[in-house]
Amino acid sequence: MGLKRYYGFCYIKILLLVFVEVVLPENVCSPGLGMPGYTIPRGDIAIEFGSPLDITCVIVNTSSQNASLSFTRNSKPIPGEMIDVINGTTIKLHVDNPPLVSGDQYTCVLDKQTSVCMNRVSVGIKPQKVTDFSCISYNYDNLTCSWTTPNNYVRTDYNLTFTLGEGRAARYVYLCPAIVSVDNRSSCFWNISTTPHYRLVHENFNFTLTMNNTFGTNQINEHFNHFAHVLSGPPEKLKAESATASSILLSWVVPLSMQTFPPGVHHRILYQCEYDEKKWKYGDILLKQPHKKVTYNLTGLPYAHALCDIRVSLRSAKALPSDESMWSRNASITFRTSSKIPDEPPLTDVGSFEVVAFGNKLQNREAYIYWKQIREEQKNGPEFRYEISCEEEPELKPSNVTNTYAKFNELSISKSYTFHIWSKNVDGSSLRRSTVRVPKQADRVKEPIRFTKVEFSEGNFELTWEPPELLPTQYITNYTIFSCTNERDRPYQCTGLLNWTVVSSSTTTVNMKVDKSKIFQFAIAANTRESSSGMLWAACTIIHNKNMGKLKNVWINRVGPTFIELGWKLDCTDGIGSVEGYIVYFCPIKSPLHSECKGSAWVHTSIFLRSSFLAPQANTTFGDTTISRGNITGLNPYTTYMLTISVITKHTTFSQQSDPLYNTTLEAAPSHPQNLTVVNVTNSTITVGWQPPAARNGVLKFYELEIVGNSRLITNRSESTQTSFTFENLTSYEDYTISLAACTVMCSDKVITRNKTAMGRPNKIAKPTVDRRNGTSITIAWNRPSQPGGNSTFYLVRLRPKDDNKVFEYNTTGRTYVLQNCGDGGKYNTFYVSVKAINKIKGTDVDGPWSDELENYCYRPINYVMYLLLVLAIAGLISVGFLFTRLYHRCKIMQDVEVKLPPGLAPVVADHTLVPWSTEKHQESRTPHSPPDEELLLVKMSEGRNFSGDSSGCSSGHESVTSSLESGTHISSSADSGTEQPGNYCALGVNPKVVDSSYIPVTVDAKEPYKRCDDLSDSSPYVMTGEAVKTINPGYIPFNQTEPIEKNSGYVVAGIKNVNGYIPFNQTDTVSRNTGYVVAGIKNCKLD
């Protein structure tokens, strides 16, 4: 079936060629183009490499027989020796061995202008064999065969067919669904959707690739092992199920399409872990697995808490073991092994400590405890750190802990300390510990002397020292040489990896080889049997065979407007020689962008150190003697300077100059402005001009101008770009002092000029006054204007009578004017005077405004009547005041008149002692009216009789009952002074020895009308009225009863009828004080 289709394509191609050759006329180049001739052969020409090329060109138009014919190749003329002229209308091109080309353009040209006909010529070879034909099945889903097309300059067609296996199956030929070519690669693709479809169950294929072009045919046959060339997809769902410190349990799934692959697949596990060498290791290669899901425990991992990159791939079981290309793409996962406690504690040495200072107190010191860090792979977990504790004082904590050291403050010099160090992570501390012992100060051996580090080339160092001074009982057993990698040299504290080596006690020089790409710090410790000196770090590095270099530590301390203070510090290498002084070079530079000096030479200042600094002497020194400074003075403000420093050593040799420092002096006050002049003056303005200061000494910010007149100061600021200024609103014809200063951060000295404004209009004169007067004349005077605006050449006086419309004006040069005869012969009595000043400016009168008018009059006789009336009015006022004062004192006396009450109405005092009535005013009760029972009692008494007459001998008389009852709510603190009350009675003002029918004793027990005061100590001196009584009646209870009193009445029960007068009260029973009764009795009275 496939061959029939192929042969059908060939037949169609032959028919097309026959049609072109037979149907098209022979004498036409190309139908429809109207060319003047044609070529033989016509159209595209293909020749095999090594064969000659012949093209004949014929002109059909007979009118062009004498024309010139030629050939061109790719628009370039072909030499005439390759062209033969057949006749006047025909020429022939002959090329013996044309080169291999894909398509050259040959054109027959008429008269070198007109194209007669053209041919495209391809020179090629027969089809070449394909050498890299290969097929592969991707994930057992499809099959792709591909090959590289051999280079050929003529069209070559490819046809791919295959048969299955051997025997009867091999009789059926299957075609490629479609050959796809991209650049020089061709391929054919089959899957279950193509026709024919992918025959995935067959293990062997026989492919035939046929190549055909115009020069011939070629063919290759390939036997293809299908199952050996199935490229699986990567494993799916790869994950870590669990992990230990040395293993990771993995699981993954075989791709779905590969689960039915008959031969099965092999599984390869590769891994690479942290801290290990960077290359892939084989975990294992698993052969065919019976299950779709595969689990594998990756064991033997070297480090805990290490991140491992694990990759799993698949390969067909039929693939060649050596064919690495058949492994699938990797499925990758990164996972950490589980953590555990650190393997080891950090390493220490007997001398791995440093005592750096004694702190602020002589009895304290500070110490660094050093150790060697453990390797990263030994940390075994997250949150790694080093833990340190003091055995003697567990509560002692370090002030700072790093990966290399721990710092302890305030350690006593009289104690020894033992420190234990552990490695610790999230899982706990290492099982073992390291120990460092810091001896007390008395037991600590001294440090080696003059420990020096000399650097040679290629990382070679020479360390030299001298033995320390020892006590007779001490001797050195060995020295420990420490090296530490760090980002910077001393004095920065080492934080890198610490290592050490031990040398004998007789050694004083050690050569060490280190990595030259790193910075190393070196230290030494002298050890005895009992203790160690601790670490002494080399302060600097000395370069072998090198003279004193330039100073590196140079800085600027202070900067002022006219000085720059330099500071510097000698390195320890610079201090080896004898330094005698320093020399500082400086110069102003052209600009911050151009560091060349202004002028031709440097300026230098020498600073020498005298021998007194070197000779020992008894003195007290404060501060670091290696630090020096120098002050460069006399500089210009706001100028950028370049400064360097060099060291003066013995024999007047100089070190190299230090790297230059650049700095700008501060701003200062500029020099004063130049050429201050007055440019223009008017009667209200002064314009000044100036030139900028010669030395600005900074950024000129503004000019400060002041102008001072007779009475005011005006201050202004102008922009720094201005060179003139106008003062406005000035006073005419006034002297002014003008000052000018230029300002940066400070202002310069002032320059001063003086000038006067021009004359102008005078201002208003103050109201004139009368200087003197007599019967015949009046002298009017006035002051100059406050702002005369000029010389006030003369004044104009205006006189206006009050009752006349005439106005008189008089000129005067003075400031007074005498008005004779009161004006116009004394005719006017009252008149108004005003004055104005006049300046004469360039022949023109300039008037000021009129002053306010002065009203005045001529002489008049004295009016005596008016003066008399004024005296009488004053005398009347004095009399009225005297009378008012007398009346006021009379009223005050009347207010103090004593009010006398009847004897029976005297108030009961608190201590029940009868004393005279007081004349003091009593405070009114808050209750404006008497209680209702009192008012009712008052009404009944007024109906019966009027109470007047003498009492029982206690008083001489009574006020009216009404008056007594109205004041019954007031209790006086004393009795009436005119009534003498016995002190031995406790009744209501009644003598109990006198029997009077007008008084009825109020008693519960009739047998005892009166009680002794001693018996009343516990009784309550109240009278029950049946309801609360808010007032206390003074002494007696008025009574008027004609009918028997009911027991439940709200009044005092007397037990008799038709009795008028007062009822004595005597109570033997105790009455509660909280029942709201009227106090009616007294205490401390003796009864006979």
Side-chain angles (χ1 to χ4, degrees):
M1 179 179 176
L3 290 175
K4 291 179 180 180
R5 183 180 297 176
Y6 170 71
Y7 292 136
F9 290 150
C10 292
Y11 292 148
I12 293 173
K13 187 174 182 181
I14 292 172
L15 288 175
L16 289 174
L17 291 175
V18 171
F19 176 79
V20 173
E21 294 292 335
V22 175
V23 176
L24 291 178
E26 296 182 358
N27 59 353
V28 175
C29 177
S30 181
L33 294 180
M35 305 298 285
Y38 59 92
T39 57
I40 302 172
R42 287 175 294 180
D44 294 342
I45 302 172
I47 62 174
E48 188 174 1
F49 181 69
S51 300
L53 172 64
D54 292 305
I55 301 176
T56 301
C57 178
V58 180
I59 298 176
V60 178
N61 189 352
T62 57
S63 62
S64 303
Q65 292 181 0
N66 296 325
S68 173
L69 294 173
S70 61
F71 277 97
T72 63
R73 180 188 176 199
N74 298 329
S75 301
K76 293 182 179 180
I78 295 177
E81 58 267 19
M82 301 176 67
I83 302 172
D84 294 332
V85 179
I86 305 300
N87 54 38
T89 60
T90 303
I91 62 173
K92 181 179 181 180
L93 172 66
H94 177 78
V95 181
D96 288 332
N97 190 15
L100 290 169
V101 292
S102 59
D104 280 349
Q105 193 76 31
Y106 286 85
T107 306
C108 180
V109 181
L110 177 64
D111 292 334
K112 298 182 180 181
Q113 295 180 354
T114 304
S115 296
V116 177
C117 195
M118 62 185 66
N119 301 90
R120 182 179 180 85
V121 178
S122 298
V123 181
I125 57 177
K126 293 179 181 180
Q128 303 295 305
K129 283 189 176 184
V130 173
T131 59
D132 60 349
F133 180 84
S134 63
C135 298
I136 190 168
S137 172
Y138 290 100
N139 208 32
Y140 205 46
D141 289 329
N142 55 67
L143 178 65
T144 301
C145 294
S146 59
W147 63 92
T148 301
T149 303
N151 192 18
N152 205 335
Y153 293 100
V154 295
R155 177 186 174 89
T156 302
D157 296 323
Y158 293 87
N159 183 49
L160 180 62
T161 62
F162 69 91
T163 61
L164 299 173
E166 298 178 354
R168 295 183 62 182
R171 293 182 298 172
Y172 296 96
V173 178
Y174 301 93
L175 295 176
C176 171
I179 295 177
V180 178
S181 297
V182 178
D183 295 332
N184 64 340
R185 291 289 295 176
S186 298
S187 63
C188 185
F189 176 80
W190 294 268
N191 63 14
I192 60 174
S193 301
T194 60
T195 303
H197 59 267
Y198 173 38
R199 307 287 178 148
L200 71 166
V201 298
H202 294 275
E203 183 175 359
N204 295 298
F205 288 74
N206 297 309
F207 287 98
T208 300
L209 180 60
T210 303
M211 299 145 283
N212 181 62
N213 64 16
T214 187
F215 306 122
T217 301
N218 208 339
Q219 182 176 294
I220 63 170
N221 297 305
E222 291 286 340
H223 176 76
F224 175 65
N225 188 333
H226 176 206
F227 290 161
H229 293 84
V230 174
L231 181 62
S232 174
E236 298 175 353
K237 299 181 182 179
L238 174 63
K239 62 181 180 179
E241 300 286 351
S242 61
T244 67
S246 60
S247 66
I248 298 175
L249 180 62
L250 304 171
S251 68
W252 63 88
V253 176
V254 177
L256 180 62
S257 59
M258 293 298 294
Q259 292 176 7
T260 59
F261 183 54
V265 292
H266 292 169
H267 306 257
R268 181 179 66 177
I269 299 95
L270 301 175
Y271 70 92
Q272 192 178 84
C273 292
E274 262 185 313
Y275 317 124
D276 209 350
E277 56 182 340
K278 298 303 180 183
K279 70 176 184 179
W280 292 103
K281 295 182 178 180
Y282 279 98
D284 203 349
I285 295 181
L286 305 181
L287 302 180
K288 182 178 179 181
Q289 298 292 314
H291 304 290
K292 300 176 183 179
K293 182 177 180 181
V294 181
T295 58
Y296 176 74
N297 191 19
L298 181 60
T299 59
L301 301 179
Y303 306 113
H305 193 64
L307 184 64
C308 294
D309 184 358
I310 305 169
R311 301 185 180 185
V312 181
S313 57
L314 306 177
R315 186 174 68 176
S316 169
K318 287 289 187 177
L320 295 176
S322 60
D323 191 356
E324 292 292 323
S325 65
M326 293 310 298
W327 285 108
S328 69
R329 289 183 294 108
N330 292 312
S332 300
I333 187 174
T334 55
F335 202 77
R336 285 189 184 273
T337 54
S338 62
S339 60
K340 64 178 183 179
I341 63 173
D343 294 333
E344 298 289 339
L347 296 179
T348 58
D349 184 73
V350 64
S352 58
F353 67 89
E354 178 188 12
V355 176
V356 295
F358 286 86
N360 297 327
K361 300 179 181 178
L362 294 178
Q363 298 300 316
N364 294 332
R365 54 180 171 167
E366 299 173 352
Y368 289 88
I369 310 301
Y370 289 90
W371 56 80
K372 181 180 180 180
Q373 303 177 36
I374 67 173
R375 299 190 305 273
E376 287 293 326
E377 58 268 26
Q378 294 178 312
K379 295 180 180 179
N380 294 345
E383 301 179 19
F384 180 82
R385 61 190 182 277
Y386 294 101
E387 189 176 61
I388 184 169
S389 67
C390 180
E391 182 177 314
E392 292 77 12
E393 298 180 12
E395 71 280 0
L396 183 63
K397 301 299 180 183
S399 62
N400 185 24
V401 178
T402 68
N403 288 330
T404 306
Y405 66 86
K407 181 182 179 183
F408 288 88
N409 300 325
E410 302 294 329
L411 299 182
S412 173
I413 64 173
S414 59
K415 292 183 181 180
S416 296
Y417 296 89
T418 302
F419 295 96
H420 302 295
I421 306 104
W422 293 266
S423 300
K424 187 176 183 180
N425 61 20
V426 70
D427 291 315
S429 301
S430 58
L431 296 178
R432 296 185 295 111
R433 67 186 183 186
S434 297
T435 302
V436 174
R437 182 176 179 273
V438 179
K440 60 184 178 182
Q441 188 65 27
D443 295 340
R444 190 166 71 93
V445 67
K446 292 185 178 179
E447 299 163 342
I449 302 172
R450 296 184 181 89
F451 181 55
T452 306
K453 176 179 64 172
V454 180
E455 182 179 4
F456 293 83
S457 59
E458 301 299 324
N460 293 302
F461 287 87
E462 181 184 72
L463 306 177
T464 60
W465 66 91
E466 296 179 7
E469 297 179 358
L470 302 175
L471 297 176
T473 59
Q474 295 176 332
Y475 64 94
I476 302 298
T477 57
N478 53 50
Y479 295 99
T480 304
I481 307 298
F482 298 90
S483 64
C484 179
T485 57
N486 201 44
E487 295 179 354
R488 294 177 288 187
D489 206 348
R490 301 297 293 183
Y492 296 99
Q493 200 67 33
C494 175
T495 57
L497 182 62
L498 185 70
N499 283 292
W500 56 82
T501 183
V502 179
V503 298
S504 65
S505 60
S506 60
T507 304
T508 56
T509 301
V510 171
N511 293 317
M512 300 193 70
K513 174 76 174 178
V514 295
D515 186 356
K516 65 178 181 179
S517 63
K518 297 180 180 179
I519 297 176
F520 281 84
Q521 298 179 4
F522 293 94
I524 187 173
N527 306 319
T528 65
R529 289 185 180 276
E530 292 80 16
S531 67
S532 175
S533 66
M535 302 166 68
L536 171 66
W537 293 94
C540 63
T541 302
I542 302 173
I543 307 301
H544 179 64
N545 288 335
K546 184 177 180 181
N547 294 327
M548 180 181 291
K550 59 186 177 183
L551 282 178
K552 301 177 183 65
N553 298 321
V554 183
W555 61 89
I556 292 176
N557 280 332
R558 294 184 302 128
V559 178
T562 59
F563 70 88
I564 296 177
E565 184 181 87
L566 278 182
W568 58 86
K569 182 178 180 180
L570 289 172
D571 291 339
C572 66
T573 56
D574 300 331
I576 295 175
S578 177
V579 177
E580 293 188 348
Y582 307 88
I583 183 167
V584 177
Y585 301 87
F586 62 94
C587 71
I589 62 174
K590 293 181 178 179
S591 70
L593 299 178
H594 298 85
S595 57
E596 297 85 1
C597 288
K598 292 180 181 178
S600 58
W602 286 80
V603 182
H604 66 271
T605 299
S606 298
I607 305 170
F608 286 95
L609 302 177
R610 299 303 177 190
S611 58
S612 59
F613 287 90
L614 303 177
Q617 54 180 315
N619 56 32
T620 302
T621 304
F622 299 94
D624 189 352
T625 57
T626 61
I627 296 178
S628 301
R629 66 185 64 188
N631 194 15
I632 314 304
T633 58
L635 306 180
N636 295 325
Y638 203 63
T639 303
T640 302
Y641 284 86
M642 177 170 62
L643 306 98
T644 64
I645 185 171
S646 180
V647 180
I648 305 173
T649 60
K650 286 184 178 180
H651 312 295
T652 320
T653 58
F654 302 91
S655 70
Q656 301 177 36
Q657 294 183 22
S658 64
D659 292 333
L661 297 177
Y662 300 90
N663 213 310
T664 303
T665 52
L666 301 181
E667 294 182 80
S671 61
H672 60 76
Q674 304 178 91
N675 302 326
L676 176 63
T677 57
V678 176
V679 177
N680 185 36
V681 178
T682 68
N683 61 359
S684 63
T685 64
I686 296 178
T687 301
V688 293
W690 65 88
Q691 293 180 356
R696 299 197 175 194
N697 294 338
V699 177
L700 195 60
K701 297 180 179 178
F702 57 89
Y703 291 97
E704 187 174 79
L705 298 102
E706 290 183 355
I707 184 168
V708 181
N710 293 333
S711 60
R712 61 174 177 164
L713 168 67
I714 301 175
T715 302
N716 288 279
R717 286 187 178 184
S718 67
E719 299 293 334
S720 60
T721 56
Q722 288 183 271
T723 55
S724 64
F725 186 82
T726 300
F727 294 97
E728 299 178 341
N729 300 320
L730 304 181
T731 303
S732 302
Y733 206 66
E734 185 170 333
D735 291 321
Y736 285 95
T737 300
I738 302 167
S739 62
L740 172 66
C743 299
T744 55
V745 294
M746 295 181 289
C747 292
S748 67
D749 296 335
K750 296 180 179 180
V751 291
I752 297 174
T753 185
R754 294 176 176 82
N755 212 304
K756 177 183 285 188
T757 52
M759 293 179 63
R761 186 181 302 278
N763 70 343
K764 185 177 180 179
I765 298 175
K767 180 189 289 189
T769 60
V770 175
D771 188 31
R772 58 182 177 272
R773 176 202 311 268
N774 55 36
T776 60
S777 66
I778 297 175
T779 301
I780 305 299
W782 59 88
N783 296 322
R784 287 171 57 87
S786 59
Q787 296 179 2
N791 294 324
S792 296
T793 308
F794 61 94
Y795 299 92
L796 185 63
V797 181
R798 183 174 65 183
L799 178 67
R800 181 174 63 85
K802 180 177 182 181
D803 298 327
D804 198 343
N805 294 329
K806 293 182 180 181
V807 175
F808 302 94
E809 293 184 351
Y810 308 97
N811 291 334
T812 179
T813 58
R815 287 187 286 111
T816 59
Y817 183 78
V818 179
L819 185 64
Q820 298 291 343
N821 298 322
C822 285
D824 199 15
K827 178 180 178 180
Y828 306 109
N829 290 328
T830 302
F831 55 88
Y832 299 95
V833 179
S834 59
V835 183
K836 67 178 178 180
I838 300 174
N839 289 330
K840 187 176 289 295
I841 303 174
K842 297 181 180 180
T844 303
D845 292 344
V846 179
D847 297 356
W850 288 104
S851 69
D852 294 334
E853 290 183 326
L854 169 69
E855 181 179 0
N856 214 316
Y857 52 88
C858 291
Y859 177 79
R860 292 181 181 179
I862 299 175
N863 191 344
Y864 295 102
V865 176
M866 181 183 66
Y867 289 110
L868 179 61
L869 292 176
L870 179 61
V871 171
L872 292 176
I874 294 172
L877 290 174
I878 294 173
S879 301
V880 171
F882 176 76
L883 293 175
F884 178 79
T885 303
R886 295 278 298 174
L887 181 61
Y888 173 77
H889 287 295
R890 181 67 57 87
C891 291
K892 291 291 289 181
I893 294 172
M894 294 175 65
Q895 288 178 356
D896 295 335
V897 173
E898 181 179 1
V899 177
K900 296 182 179 294
L901 297 178
L905 300 181
V908 179
V909 296
D911 56 357
H912 303 288
T913 303
L914 300 178
V915 294
W917 284 89
S918 174
T919 59
E920 296 177 2
K921 295 182 180 180
H922 304 289
Q923 182 178 359
E924 295 294 334
S925 172
R926 292 184 181 179
T927 305
H929 303 287
S930 299
D933 56 347
E934 184 179 329
E935 293 178 357
L936 183 59
L937 181 63
L938 178 62
V939 171
K940 290 187 177 184
M941 287 188 298
S942 62
E943 291 176 355
R945 54 179 273 187
N946 293 328
F947 295 96
S948 61
D950 58 355
S951 63
S952 58
C954 294
S955 63
S956 61
H958 296 282
E959 298 290 331
S960 66
V961 174
T962 303
S963 175
S964 299
L965 291 177
E966 288 177 352
S967 61
T969 58
H970 303 286
I971 299 176
S972 176
S973 61
S974 61
D976 190 347
S977 60
T979 305
E980 184 176 352
Q981 301 288 350
N984 56 349
Y985 297 111
C986 58
L988 302 177
V990 181
N991 190 346
K993 295 181 179 182
V994 179
V995 178
D996 192 342
S997 61
S998 62
Y999 297 94
I1000 301 174
V1002 179
T1003 178
V1004 176
D1005 188 359
K1007 297 179 180 181
E1008 294 184 20
Y1010 301 97
K1011 291 181 85 62
R1012 294 184 60 86
C1013 289
D1014 297 335
D1015 297 332
L1016 298 176
S1017 60
D1018 295 328
S1019 62
S1020 177
Y1022 298 98
V1023 176
M1024 179 180 294
T1025 61
E1027 61 181 313
V1029 178
K1030 298 181 180 179
T1031 60
I1032 300 176
N1033 290 324
Y1036 300 95
I1037 299 175
F1039 177 75
N1040 184 11
Q1041 181 69 37
T1042 58
E1043 298 295 335
I1045 300 174
E1046 298 179 0
K1047 294 182 179 182
N1048 296 329
S1049 172
Y1051 302 98
V1052 178
V1053 178
I1056 61 173
K1057 298 191 294 183
N1058 297 325
V1059 180
N1060 295 326
Y1062 299 92
I1063 302 173
F1065 177 78
N1066 188 10
Q1067 180 66 35
T1068 60
D1069 293 339
T1070 301
V1071 182
S1072 174
R1073 294 181 180 268
N1074 296 328
T1075 56
Y1077 299 137
V1078 177
V1079 178
I1082 60 173
K1083 298 169 62 177
N1084 298 326
C1085 295
K1086 181 176 180 182
L1087 298 177
D1088 293 336

